[in-house]
Amino acid sequence: MVLILHRMTMPLLRKISLRSKLSDYLWKCVCICTTFHLVCLGWLMFRAQSFGQIRSFLFQMLVDLKPDPAIYPQLIKLFFCLSLLTVVQVFKERTNDPYTILNWPPLIRGGIYLIVLLSIIIGGVQGGQEFIYFQF
């Protein structure tokens, strides 16, 4: 679907000369977002017990947008962990070097590793259940 959209919009983009760094960046963001949502939809189809459950989940995600208040603490933890990883990713993108963190002083690098590790330990899931793929 993304490829079809890309092929349909390319002649228009060439005509109006929007081929700049900004349009390339925006297109990359659209592609990443679309891929993420298609993967999540695939997971939903894999995980659901029936088509009725898929329909119910999709209805809850797209129409019934009332979040459960119990999820707010998890969202705060998720935002904290993702913000740390996003900062590192921005440094990698700006330097155009995927190994930029390896060039940082060991004390800073170790601090980042420690913060990420502690955020996983503190913010991680407490308790456990059998991973879905082990059920087969």
Side-chain angles (χ1 to χ4, degrees), residues 35-55:
T35 301
F36 171 77
H37 285 88
L38 289 175
V39 167
C40 288
L41 183 64
W43 286 345
L44 175 65
M45 289 179 192
F46 179 74
R47 181 71 173 116
Q49 303 275 331
S50 66
F51 286 113
Q53 191 177 28
I54 292 173
R55 185 183 51 209

Side-chain angles (χ1 to χ4, degrees), residues 1 13 17 52 65 72-73 79 84 87 93 98 101 105 110 114 125:
M1 181 172 347
L13 289 175
S17 300
L65 299 174
Y72 293 140
F79 178 75
L84 292 173
V87 167
E93 189 71 28
I101 196 169
L114 181 64
V125 175

Side-chain angles (χ1 to χ4, degrees), residues 5 12-13 18 20-22 30 35 37 43-44 56 71 73-74 82 85-86 104-105 116-117 131:
L5 181 64
L12 178 64
L13 289 175
L18 284 180
S20 65
K21 280 194 167 222
L22 180 62
V30 167
T35 301
H37 285 88
W43 286 345
L44 175 65
S56 172
I71 201 168
Q74 273 69 24
L82 288 179
L85 296 174
T86 301
W104 292 353
V116 170
L117 179 65
F131 189 54

Side-chain angles (χ1 to χ4, degrees), residues 4-5 7 20 23 26 29 35 37 45 48 50 52 58-59 62 66 72 79 89 103-104 109-112 116 124 136:
I4 293 169
L5 181 64
R7 298 233 172 145
S20 65
S23 67
L26 290 175
C29 288
T35 301
H37 285 88
M45 289 179 192
S50 66
L58 286 175
F59 177 79
L62 300 174
K66 297 175 196 160
Y72 293 140
F79 178 75
Q89 191 63 33
N103 298 328
W104 292 353
R109 192 173 58 224
I112 290 173
V116 170
F136 297 110

Side-chain angles (χ1 to χ4, degrees), residues 54-110:
I54 292 173
R55 185 183 51 209
S56 172
F57 285 162
L58 286 175
F59 177 79
Q60 289 175 0
M61 289 188 306
L62 300 174
V63 178
D64 188 22
L65 299 174
K66 297 175 196 160
D68 184 9
I71 201 168
Y72 293 140
Q74 273 69 24
L75 289 176
I76 292 170
K77 291 177 188 178
L78 178 67
F79 178 75
F80 178 72
C81 291
L82 288 179
S83 63
L84 292 173
L85 296 174
T86 301
V87 167
V88 173
Q89 191 63 33
V90 166
F91 277 112
K92 287 180 176 185
E93 189 71 28
R94 292 219 172 158
T95 59
N96 204 16
D97 179 17
Y99 304 111
T100 187
I101 196 169
L102 297 177
N103 298 328
W104 292 353
L107 190 61
I108 294 174
R109 192 173 58 224

